[in-house]
Amino acid sequence: MTKTYCTTESNMWISPHTGLVTSLPPAPRSSFASDNVAGAHPLVFEAMLAANAGHFPAYGADPITQRTETSFRELFDEDVVTQFAYGGTGANVFALASMLRPADAIVCTSHSHINVDETGAPERVLGTKLITVPTRDAKLRPSDIEQVSSMFGNQHAPQPGIVAITQVTELGTVYSPDEIRAICEAAHAVGMFVYLDGARIANATASLGGTRAALRSFTRDAGVDVMTFGCTKAGGVFGEAVVFFNKSFTNRSIYVRKQTTQLHSKMRFIAAQYEAMLKDDLFITLGGRANAAAMKLFNSLHDIESLKLATAPDANSMFPIISKPEREILQSWAHFYDWDTSINQVRWMTAWDVETAEIEAFAAGVREVLD
Amino acid sequence: MTKTYCTTESNMWISPHTGLVTSLPPAPRSSFASDNVAGAHPLVFEAMLAANAGHFPAYGADPITQRTETSFRELFDEDVVTQFAYGGTGANVFALASMLRPADAIVCTSHSHINVDETGAPERVLGTKLITVPTRDAKLRPSDIEQVSSMFGNQHAPQPGIVAITQVTELGTVYSPDEIRAICEAAHAVGMFVYLDGARIANATASLGGTRAALRSFTRDAGVDVMTFGCTKAGGVFGEAVVFFNKSFTNRSIYVRKQTTQLHSKMRFIAAQYEAMLKDDLFITLGGRANAAAMKLFNSLHDIESLKLATAPDANSMFPIISKPEREILQSWAHFYDWDTSINQVRWMTAWDVETAEIEAFAAGVREVLD
Amino acid sequence: MTKTYCTTESNMWISPHTGLVTSLPPAPRSSFASDNVAGAHPLVFEAMLAANAGHFPAYGADPITQRTETSFRELFDEDVVTQFAYGGTGANVFALASMLRPADAIVCTSHSHINVDETGAPERVLGTKLITVPTRDAKLRPSDIEQVSSMFGNQHAPQPGIVAITQVTELGTVYSPDEIRAICEAAHAVGMFVYLDGARIANATASLGGTRAALRSFTRDAGVDVMTFGCTKAGGVFGEAVVFFNKSFTNRSIYVRKQTTQLHSKMRFIAAQYEAMLKDDLFITLGGRANAAAMKLFNSLHDIESLKLATAPDANSMFPIISKPEREILQSWAHFYDWDTSINQVRWMTAWDVETAEIEAFAAGVREVLD
Amino acid sequence: MTKTYCTTESNMWISPHTGLVTSLPPAPRSSFASDNVAGAHPLVFEAMLAANAGHFPAYGADPITQRTETSFRELFDEDVVTQFAYGGTGANVFALASMLRPADAIVCTSHSHINVDETGAPERVLGTKLITVPTRDAKLRPSDIEQVSSMFGNQHAPQPGIVAITQVTELGTVYSPDEIRAICEAAHAVGMFVYLDGARIANATASLGGTRAALRSFTRDAGVDVMTFGCTKAGGVFGEAVVFFNKSFTNRSIYVRKQTTQLHSKMRFIAAQYEAMLKDDLFITLGGRANAAAMKLFNSLHDIESLKLATAPDANSMFPIISKPEREILQSWAHFYDWDTSINQVRWMTAWDVETAEIEAFAAGVREVLD
């Protein structure tokens, strides 16, 4: 990768358009590469510190974990079972392993995190094929379930057993409650179950109304069987929660959790983070902040036609188009990821702690290069 | 389990020996059930908080992780590769998965954590048989390697590929550097590799001299190929480190880490804990404290013959004999685990933060019931 | 599926075109559904019977197996290692398991048998992701290898390690020796290895010249690392052979064979079939017969435009287009499989023992319905 | 291994006892190493040849397979489901995979074939721990189930889900119907299921009465959930049958069979062998012949005290004690396997086709060396 246009030290660069040497404004202190570049919210840390005092039983038998399980039941207004895990990939694998029957396959979009971002962990740990459905917007549809139904009864094909969707999707779109309900109905009608990867559940909840009722509308009420409730991206240090609405899958789940390496000994430190996140709906507040930051960035830049930012972001990311010379200048100045180089697509994503001044600084640099 | 002898509320109990009603002293505030009942050391938390400021690249590309990798090279005075994981089971699985060749089996003692305490995670994630060797003291010996060598070349048997040992062992014993060197030599002589589960490496190091040279003597110098360097039990919040002395196993290890669900996004929070642990050899200090607490407990009680505490603890645990009625009284008063009920064996274990007064309180209760 | 047009008992049907009731000619006694509908060649059975006399060591230590290993070395004029397996899926899994390194992925076309016809056996037994490449003709190309190369070094992606191709492909096409050589060169250039699924190697060899030199040209000479050499479809009872050109993969393969359930105890009965198949190049003769049958069928029908049989078959199958009402009539009369119902595509395939009269009978029925 | 005592060419040897040079009688033409050294019974071959005529649907949709499924229902006088597989290890893995729930473990004796003779196939393909129980006679007992019950509810342990027993056992002993019934009752009482590895079901049936009622008494009537019904050792060419008494395990079993590589395309050739085996109870006849041969061998030699052949064989094997110099002479003369070299134990096993003259020849050689 030649970077002849860019001298990062001095922010001097030669415009690929004009050939003139010019300078970029100071880079933002925030990163727009991902939401996992941010640290944890102070209240999360405070809760962990409070949990540090004294001796407590390990592996979830401590009072903080037990209190937090109750908090989840209140959050969903239902007798859900909540079991904590270490991270996103692990929580996905643990949850899916609890749900799978012999020879089941998992239906998901080709964009799904379990398909493209987990180094084959599902295939390795689950021993299961992912049946991937191509989509434009990373949203699965009931018709996709209908289509894979042709595999039922064919002994040469694994049997579609679980529909796995992601909310917020990997392309930053958000399923409506009706869309998820339709998927659940289509899946249940043919004997399949629905798993929701909620690594960005905070952003989705904020996007769909910002209330507990909103959260329930696209999970419990829509018919989701099992979901993860992400903490790390929302403003945590580590840890994910698996929430079982369909409790038939909890018969073996505590064993499956350990077997898939997801049982933390000092569980209180995960539970404490969730206690802080659920208190006064902090997770919704933080998800909303990340979303608002993305909207501000969109508003600052969507007039630049070459970016092709047609629609406002549903949550905390957008996927603009930037030509190679221009994106290389910008990535050297303030790193962000290529998404689909075949169409010059990149990803911008905002974390819970991004401030307006940083958004403005980032937008100014982008405008400087692209305008 | 009937608990007729015990009324925990009042600490009143009826002696199984005398039939008299009497009372137990106040229970200790510390638990002697495990070392994972303790929280984290303040310096560890301080380091995590310091790491919380601002945005950093995820997945280990942050400066704290990179600094800590250097600290490990200094610790071992060798160009080791260190890769962080979430927890003990996960680190074991990740490390072993990086080492295994097709049809390899793992040789370990029947007491080993990977065999009895991980819910079959190695079999599930590695797809590998554990060849378990019975031992009296949870220590593997070169002769065990010789014995399994009969499997080489037999197409009906998996091929012994890795020797997995645990230091401190699951029975609280500590291998001498010579013992580990002999194992490594025997393994290497027949083309096998040696993995050391160092979940309690801090206690082992303190036990064997309490210096960095001591640590090296039974790991790097002894010929260990790959090890874990435990943080959580030593006084951390979460996280384990896998240290590769034999770097041929690092060709694929970063992919294997993610594939085995052990890659943390906000890696800086694991690295920061290790930075604190390695600074001024804090891990040795904390391991030494836990060991000293166990020694104090031993010294307080080893005169009670029925406990059969013949030898002083090598590290931070002991495995006394207590009859069922007596241990039920004591477990209700201050919980600890049964170990081998067939011989009335229990486990007492001390954490890094146990204070002398708590040891005395525990010993007083034990003496009250047993004497 | 309504079958209003068809009365199989009387071969009477109502034409979807004319609405007239008419009759089909007598159905062929041969099936054009697959090549595994045929039995075994008499010489194969004769060899098995000859091998039945007396006691012989099991698991491949018998003289027939050893003779046949020599025959394979002569066939390829190279010091290859040949190991027998039970069936096609098992041979694929056994061979690939012998080749995979930790975190490897397998690159194949989306049409490949390992992807769509093995019920997820590769994912289950190998724990490995298949990276599927869309193609028009079921042939992988060097540019596909180039494209997946972007995954190298990305810790969130499994590492492309093996290119798996099928010869004859699942769409009946045959790679030229140059095409396979180009794939091997592209794969080896980036450190990948090439596996060839030769379930229809007999047909491919016949198609590419019908000599041992032809066979070598697209396997050994082209740079293939490991292949299967199919027996069952060619005219056998059961059994497949895995041939290792790259003998680095044989270090563990005999153990991997048993571990993947592919070691037959009475091995002589597989070896005897291969001995018969290699003698006087019987496999080429039989592959050639199946190919010739397909060519006859093509010549009989390719003038029917609606079938869209543009090009003559490379080997023993063709994939015509037939509308739903018409194919239902024909399938009831003489069963064959739908291939891609979204484009009304079906598959016709010929076995080694199909006679000209049967081809004529089949063609007559097809013409009756379609013309 | 030095073989100074033995000159196989001339059958001359130097007695380790007397130091005198003497000669061994001519070696038997039959092998006493295993029962898989024998070929197939002529009626089995005849049935395969008869099945070879013409085209039939693959994968079990042929009339021979369907007829044989009916024959199994008649054999067991119950509506069992029978599904064919390729071999013993594969049938074990396929059956167990159909039965396992998430985090299940399999309880078996340490002698069991799945534990010691399958190169870790169960661990690899099932991802499951085998909980091995030490026994003297390779028979599991209800008390073993009671003992592993302590793992129930412990999240650090896999959950005992299946009891796997072998009939005839790997030490040649035969469970009585009552013994199996007691195991099934103990297993079912704690929610476990029972799998019976019937690789030598023919020998067991012959041993326990030699009738269909006898077969049912220790399988269907005893409460076995799933079993294999071995063909190969009994006098077949290849193929095993999995019989499901508990049909809840057949919901996914046809998919699991293919996924575990055990689906044969030309299924008629397995079915035909079973049709021959079940006709007029041929399998019982052949199992009885093998058993009778073992009894003859026992009767010829049990007076030699050093062999420690205390009890007559239950079926077709015995495990005598022979010192190393003596067994080396004998193994060079007529190969058989060491079983447990630590106690100088070897295995003698008889196949279905061993004739009296061969037994006498073998016994004469043994007596020559040992007497």
Side-chain angles (χ1 to χ4, degrees):
Chain A
M1 194 172 81
T2 54
K3 292 186 177 177
T4 53
Y5 305 120
C6 184
T7 314
T8 52
E9 291 79 3
S10 60
N11 281 331
M12 299 301 291
W13 59 292
I14 303 166
S15 165
H17 298 303
T18 64
L20 296 178
V21 176
T22 176
S23 70
L24 277 166
R29 283 170 304 151
S30 296
S31 166
F32 293 82
S34 180
D35 44 9
N36 58 29
V37 298
H41 189 272
L43 288 173
V44 167
F45 253 111
E46 204 172 277
M48 289 178 79
L49 267 167
N52 194 38
H55 279 195
F56 284 112
Y59 302 116
D62 66 277
I64 304 171
T65 300
Q66 287 164 358
R67 278 199 318 258
T68 311
E69 288 168 357
T70 302
S71 299
F72 269 101
R73 285 190 286 269
E74 291 167 1
L75 174 65
F76 285 107
D77 194 18
E78 178 144 330
D79 188 27
V80 297
V81 171
T82 304
Q83 292 171 347
F84 297 116
Y86 277 120
T89 296
N92 284 338
V93 164
F94 151 41
L96 290 165
S98 299
M99 300 175 76
L100 285 163
R101 293 160 299 183
D104 264 1
I106 298 167
V107 180
C108 58
T109 78
S110 58
H111 290 96
S112 65
H113 197 268
I114 56 173
N115 186 44
V116 295
D117 262 324
E118 301 190 349
T119 319
E123 285 88 350
R124 173 167 197 146
V125 185
L126 305 174
T128 298
K129 182 180 274 294
L130 304 184
I131 302 169
T132 56
V133 174
T135 70
R136 185 185 38 77
D137 56 2
K139 286 189 186 178
L140 202 95
R141 286 170 175 77
S143 57
D144 299 320
I145 296 170
E146 197 180 329
Q147 192 161 9
V148 300
S149 296
S150 66
M151 301 170 81
F152 287 127
N154 173 2
Q155 69 179 323
H156 305 287
Q159 298 300 289
I162 297 175
V163 175
I165 59 176
T166 312
Q167 173 83 316
V168 177
T169 75
E170 294 80 3
L171 280 177
T173 53
V174 173
Y175 287 97
S176 73
D178 281 350
E179 287 174 326
I180 294 183
R181 185 179 307 110
I183 289 170
C184 293
E185 284 171 1
H188 293 158
V190 293
M192 297 177 70
F193 297 98
V194 177
Y195 170 70
L196 186 148
D197 175 348
R200 292 193 179 92
I201 199 72
N203 306 282
T205 304
S207 175
L208 287 169
T211 64
R212 292 183 166 216
L215 169 64
R216 289 172 202 145
S217 72
F218 69 88
T219 55
R220 184 198 73 170
D221 301 347
V224 168
D225 291 286
V226 179
M227 70 178 286
T228 49
F229 190 101
C231 176
T232 308
K233 292 175 197 291
V237 171
F238 75 110
E240 299 285 313
V242 176
V243 179
F244 294 88
F245 297 105
N246 182 334
K247 289 193 285 186
S248 69
F249 296 120
T250 62
N251 290 339
R252 293 301 180 97
S253 62
I254 61 163
Y255 314 108
V256 169
R257 175 170 58 177
K258 177 80 179 228
Q259 195 175 64
T260 57
T261 76
Q262 294 301 308
L263 176 64
H264 187 40
S265 55
K266 299 185 174 179
M267 189 78 88
R268 53 170 142 164
F269 290 121
I270 301 179
Q273 295 178 68
Y274 273 97
E275 191 164 40
M277 277 290 183
L278 297 194
K279 184 150 187 283
D280 302 330
D281 295 346
L282 175 63
F283 76 99
I284 304 179
T285 303
L286 299 184
R289 278 193 207 161
N291 293 357
M295 186 60 81
K296 267 186 207 135
L297 184 60
F298 173 81
N299 286 335
S300 301
L301 291 171
H302 78 278
D303 63 300
I304 302 179
E305 271 184 39
S306 68
L307 289 172
K308 300 208 170 144
L309 289 171
T311 54
D314 281 356
N316 68 326
S317 61
M318 63 205 80
F319 295 77
I321 304 298
I322 308 179
S323 74
K324 191 174 173 186
E326 292 171 326
R327 70 175 184 263
E328 287 181 350
I329 294 164
L330 284 168
Q331 288 167 332
S332 293
W333 170 74
H335 179 68
F336 51 85
Y337 287 104
D338 289 337
W339 194 254
D340 182 348
T341 54
S342 74
I343 56 169
N344 285 321
Q345 192 178 40
V346 301
R347 186 183 77 171
W348 292 340
M349 182 170 265
T350 50
W352 64 270
D353 64 349
V354 175
E355 296 184 14
T356 302
E358 306 307 318
I359 298 166
E360 288 169 352
F362 186 69
V366 172
R367 191 170 290 280
E368 176 69 29
V369 171
L370 297 185
D371 252 6
Chain B
M1 191 172 82
T2 54
K3 292 187 176 176
T4 53
Y5 305 120
C6 184
T7 313
T8 52
E9 291 79 2
S10 61
N11 281 331
M12 301 299 291
W13 59 292
I14 303 168
S15 165
H17 299 302
T18 64
L20 296 177
V21 175
T22 177
S23 71
L24 277 167
R29 283 170 304 152
S30 296
S31 166
F32 293 82
S34 181
D35 43 10
N36 58 29
V37 298
H41 189 272
L43 288 173
V44 167
F45 252 111
E46 204 172 277
M48 289 178 80
L49 267 167
N52 195 38
H55 279 195
F56 284 112
Y59 302 115
D62 66 278
I64 304 171
T65 301
Q66 287 163 0
R67 279 200 315 260
T68 311
E69 287 167 359
T70 301
S71 298
F72 269 101
R73 284 190 286 269
E74 291 167 2
L75 174 64
F76 285 107
D77 193 19
E78 178 143 330
D79 188 27
V80 298
V81 171
T82 303
Q83 292 170 348
F84 297 116
Y86 276 121
T89 297
N92 283 339
V93 164
F94 150 41
L96 290 165
S98 300
M99 300 174 75
L100 285 163
R101 293 160 298 184
D104 263 1
I106 298 166
V107 180
C108 58
T109 79
S110 57
H111 291 96
S112 66
H113 197 269
I114 56 175
N115 185 44
V116 295
D117 262 324
E118 302 190 348
T119 318
E123 285 89 349
R124 171 164 199 148
V125 185
L126 305 173
T128 299
K129 182 180 274 295
L130 305 184
I131 303 169
T132 56
V133 174
T135 69
R136 185 184 39 78
D137 55 1
K139 286 189 187 177
L140 202 95
R141 284 169 176 78
S143 58
D144 299 320
I145 296 170
E146 198 181 328
Q147 193 162 8
V148 300
S149 295
S150 65
M151 302 171 80
F152 287 127
N154 173 1
Q155 70 179 322
H156 305 287
Q159 297 300 289
I162 297 174
V163 175
I165 59 177
T166 312
Q167 172 83 315
V168 177
T169 75
E170 294 80 3
L171 280 177
T173 54
V174 173
Y175 286 97
S176 72
D178 281 350
E179 286 174 327
I180 294 184
R181 186 180 307 110
I183 289 170
C184 293
E185 284 172 1
H188 293 158
V190 293
M192 298 177 69
F193 297 98
V194 177
Y195 170 70
L196 185 148
D197 176 348
R200 292 193 179 93
I201 199 72
N203 307 283
T205 304
S207 174
L208 288 169
T211 64
R212 293 183 165 215
L215 169 64
R216 289 172 203 144
S217 72
F218 68 87
T219 55
R220 184 197 73 170
D221 301 347
V224 167
D225 292 286
V226 180
M227 69 178 286
T228 49
F229 190 101
C231 176
T232 307
K233 292 174 197 291
V237 171
F238 76 110
E240 298 283 314
V242 175
V243 179
F244 294 88
F245 297 104
N246 182 334
K247 289 194 284 186
S248 69
F249 296 120
T250 62
N251 290 338
R252 294 301 180 97
S253 62
I254 61 163
Y255 314 108
V256 169
R257 175 170 59 178
K258 177 81 179 228
Q259 195 176 64
T260 56
T261 77
Q262 293 302 307
L263 176 63
H264 187 40
S265 56
K266 299 185 175 180
M267 188 78 87
R268 54 171 142 164
F269 291 120
I270 301 179
Q273 295 178 67
Y274 273 97
E275 192 164 40
M277 277 290 183
L278 297 195
K279 185 152 186 283
D280 301 331
D281 295 345
L282 176 63
F283 76 99
I284 304 180
T285 304
L286 299 185
R289 279 192 205 160
N291 293 357
M295 187 59 83
K296 269 186 204 133
L297 183 59
F298 172 82
N299 287 335
S300 302
L301 292 171
H302 78 277
D303 63 301
I304 303 179
E305 272 184 39
S306 68
L307 290 171
K308 302 211 170 141
L309 289 172
T311 54
D314 281 355
N316 67 326
S317 61
M318 63 204 82
F319 295 77
I321 304 299
I322 309 179
S323 74
K324 191 174 173 185
E326 292 170 327
R327 70 176 183 262
E328 287 181 351
I329 294 164
L330 285 167
Q331 287 167 334
S332 293
W333 169 73
H335 179 68
F336 51 85
Y337 287 104
D338 289 337
W339 194 254
D340 182 348
T341 55
S342 73
I343 56 170
N344 285 321
Q345 191 177 40
V346 301
R347 186 183 76 172
W348 292 339
M349 183 170 264
T350 50
W352 64 270
D353 64 349
V354 176
E355 297 183 14
T356 302
E358 306 308 318
I359 298 165
E360 288 169 353
F362 186 69
V366 172
R367 191 170 289 280
E368 175 68 30
V369 172
L370 297 186
D371 251 5
Chain C
M1 193 172 79
T2 55
K3 292 185 176 176
T4 53
Y5 305 119
C6 184
T7 314
T8 54
E9 290 80 2
S10 59
N11 281 331
M12 300 300 290
W13 58 291
I14 303 168
S15 163
H17 298 302
T18 64
L20 295 178
V21 175
T22 178
S23 70
L24 277 166
R29 283 170 302 153
S30 296
S31 166
F32 294 82
S34 181
D35 44 9
N36 57 30
V37 299
H41 190 272
L43 288 173
V44 167
F45 253 110
E46 204 172 277
M48 289 178 79
L49 267 166
N52 195 38
H55 278 195
F56 284 114
Y59 302 116
D62 66 277
I64 305 171
T65 300
Q66 286 163 2
R67 279 200 314 260
T68 310
E69 288 167 357
T70 301
S71 299
F72 269 102
R73 283 189 287 269
E74 290 166 3
L75 174 65
F76 286 107
D77 193 18
E78 177 144 329
D79 188 26
V80 298
V81 171
T82 304
Q83 292 170 349
F84 297 116
Y86 277 120
T89 296
N92 283 338
V93 164
F94 150 41
L96 290 165
S98 300
M99 299 174 75
L100 286 163
R101 294 159 297 183
D104 263 1
I106 297 166
V107 180
C108 58
T109 79
S110 57
H111 291 96
S112 64
H113 197 268
I114 55 174
N115 186 43
V116 296
D117 263 323
E118 302 189 348
T119 317
E123 286 88 349
R124 173 167 197 147
V125 185
L126 305 174
T128 298
K129 181 181 274 294
L130 304 184
I131 302 170
T132 56
V133 174
T135 69
R136 184 184 40 78
D137 56 1
K139 286 189 187 176
L140 203 96
R141 285 170 175 78
S143 58
D144 299 320
I145 296 170
E146 198 181 327
Q147 192 161 8
V148 301
S149 295
S150 66
M151 300 170 82
F152 287 128
N154 173 2
Q155 70 178 321
H156 305 288
Q159 298 300 288
I162 297 174
V163 175
I165 60 176
T166 313
Q167 173 83 317
V168 178
T169 76
E170 294 79 5
L171 280 176
T173 53
V174 173
Y175 287 97
S176 73
D178 281 349
E179 287 174 327
I180 295 183
R181 185 180 307 110
I183 289 170
C184 293
E185 284 171 3
H188 293 159
V190 294
M192 297 176 70
F193 297 98
V194 177
Y195 170 71
L196 186 148
D197 176 348
R200 293 194 178 91
I201 198 73
N203 307 283
T205 303
S207 174
L208 288 169
T211 63
R212 294 185 165 213
L215 169 63
R216 289 171 202 144
S217 72
F218 68 88
T219 56
R220 184 198 72 171
D221 301 347
V224 167
D225 291 285
V226 179
M227 70 177 286
T228 49
F229 189 101
C231 175
T232 308
K233 293 174 198 290
V237 171
F238 76 108
E240 298 285 311
V242 176
V243 180
F244 294 89
F245 298 104
N246 182 334
K247 289 194 285 186
S248 69
F249 296 120
T250 62
N251 289 338
R252 294 301 180 98
S253 62
I254 61 163
Y255 315 107
V256 168
R257 175 170 59 177
K258 176 82 179 227
Q259 195 175 65
T260 57
T261 77
Q262 293 302 307
L263 177 63
H264 187 40
S265 55
K266 297 184 175 180
M267 188 78 88
R268 52 171 143 164
F269 290 120
I270 301 179
Q273 295 178 67
Y274 274 97
E275 192 164 38
M277 278 289 184
L278 297 195
K279 186 151 185 283
D280 301 330
D281 295 347
L282 176 62
F283 75 100
I284 304 179
T285 303
L286 299 184
R289 280 194 206 159
N291 293 358
M295 186 59 82
K296 270 186 206 131
L297 184 60
F298 172 81
N299 286 334
S300 302
L301 292 171
H302 78 278
D303 63 300
I304 302 179
E305 273 185 37
S306 68
L307 289 171
K308 301 206 171 146
L309 289 172
T311 54
D314 281 356
N316 67 327
S317 61
M318 62 205 81
F319 295 77
I321 305 298
I322 310 178
S323 74
K324 191 174 173 184
E326 293 171 325
R327 70 176 184 262
E328 286 181 352
I329 293 164
L330 285 168
Q331 288 167 334
S332 294
W333 170 74
H335 179 68
F336 51 83
Y337 288 103
D338 290 336
W339 194 255
D340 183 347
T341 55
S342 74
I343 57 170
N344 285 321
Q345 192 178 41
V346 302
R347 186 183 76 172
W348 293 339
M349 182 170 266
T350 49
W352 64 270
D353 63 350
V354 175
E355 296 182 15
T356 302
E358 306 307 318
I359 298 166
E360 288 168 355
F362 186 69
V366 171
R367 191 171 291 278
E368 175 69 30
V369 172
L370 297 185
D371 249 7
Chain D
M1 194 173 78
T2 55
K3 293 185 176 176
T4 53
Y5 304 119
C6 184
T7 315
T8 53
E9 291 79 2
S10 60
N11 281 331
M12 301 301 289
W13 58 292
I14 303 167
S15 164
H17 299 303
T18 65
L20 296 177
V21 176
T22 178
S23 71
L24 276 166
R29 283 171 304 152
S30 296
S31 167
F32 294 82
S34 181
D35 43 11
N36 57 30
V37 299
H41 190 271
L43 289 173
V44 166
F45 253 110
E46 204 173 277
M48 289 178 79
L49 267 167
N52 195 38
H55 279 195
F56 284 113
Y59 302 116
D62 65 277
I64 305 171
T65 301
Q66 287 163 2
R67 279 201 314 261
T68 310
E69 288 167 359
T70 301
S71 299
F72 270 102
R73 284 190 288 268
E74 290 166 4
L75 174 65
F76 286 107
D77 193 19
E78 177 144 330
D79 189 26
V80 297
V81 172
T82 303
Q83 292 171 348
F84 297 116
Y86 277 119
T89 297
N92 283 338
V93 163
F94 150 40
L96 290 165
S98 300
M99 300 175 74
L100 285 163
R101 293 160 296 183
D104 263 2
I106 297 167
V107 180
C108 58
T109 78
S110 58
H111 291 95
S112 64
H113 197 269
I114 55 173
N115 185 44
V116 296
D117 262 324
E118 302 189 349
T119 318
E123 286 88 349
R124 173 167 198 147
V125 185
L126 305 173
T128 299
K129 183 180 274 295
L130 304 184
I131 302 169
T132 56
V133 174
T135 70
R136 184 184 41 77
D137 55 1
K139 287 189 187 176
L140 203 95
R141 286 171 174 76
S143 58
D144 299 321
I145 296 170
E146 197 181 328
Q147 192 161 9
V148 301
S149 296
S150 66
M151 301 170 82
F152 287 127
N154 173 2
Q155 71 178 321
H156 306 288
Q159 298 299 289
I162 297 175
V163 174
I165 60 176
T166 312
Q167 172 83 316
V168 178
T169 76
E170 293 79 4
L171 280 177
T173 53
V174 174
Y175 287 98
S176 73
D178 282 349
E179 286 174 327
I180 295 184
R181 186 180 308 110
I183 289 170
C184 292
E185 284 171 2
H188 293 158
V190 293
M192 296 176 72
F193 298 98
V194 176
Y195 170 71
L196 186 147
D197 176 348
R200 293 194 178 92
I201 199 73
N203 307 283
T205 303
S207 175
L208 288 169
T211 65
R212 292 184 166 215
L215 169 64
R216 289 173 202 142
S217 72
F218 69 87
T219 56
R220 185 198 71 171
D221 301 346
V224 167
D225 291 286
V226 180
M227 70 177 286
T228 49
F229 190 101
C231 177
T232 308
K233 292 174 198 291
V237 171
F238 76 109
E240 298 282 313
V242 176
V243 179
F244 294 88
F245 298 104
N246 183 333
K247 289 194 284 186
S248 69
F249 295 120
T250 62
N251 290 339
R252 294 301 180 99
S253 61
I254 61 163
Y255 315 108
V256 169
R257 174 170 59 177
K258 176 80 179 228
Q259 196 175 65
T260 56
T261 76
Q262 292 302 306
L263 176 63
H264 186 41
S265 56
K266 299 185 175 179
M267 189 78 87
R268 52 171 143 164
F269 290 120
I270 301 179
Q273 295 178 68
Y274 274 97
E275 192 164 39
M277 279 288 184
L278 297 195
K279 184 150 186 285
D280 301 330
D281 295 346
L282 175 63
F283 75 99
I284 304 180
T285 304
L286 300 184
R289 279 193 206 160
N291 292 357
M295 186 60 80
K296 269 186 206 131
L297 185 59
F298 173 81
N299 287 334
S300 302
L301 292 170
H302 80 278
D303 63 299
I304 302 179
E305 272 185 38
S306 68
L307 290 171
K308 302 210 168 144
L309 289 172
T311 55
D314 281 355
N316 67 326
S317 61
M318 63 205 81
F319 294 78
I321 305 298
I322 309 179
S323 74
K324 191 175 173 184
E326 292 171 325
R327 71 175 183 264
E328 286 181 353
I329 294 165
L330 285 167
Q331 288 167 334
S332 293
W333 171 74
H335 179 68
F336 51 83
Y337 288 104
D338 289 336
W339 193 255
D340 183 347
T341 55
S342 74
I343 57 170
N344 285 321
Q345 192 178 41
V346 302
R347 186 183 77 172
W348 293 339
M349 181 169 266
T350 50
W352 64 270
D353 64 349
V354 176
E355 297 183 13
T356 302
E358 305 308 317
I359 298 166
E360 288 168 356
F362 185 69
V366 173
R367 191 171 291 278
E368 174 70 29
V369 172
L370 297 185
D371 249 8

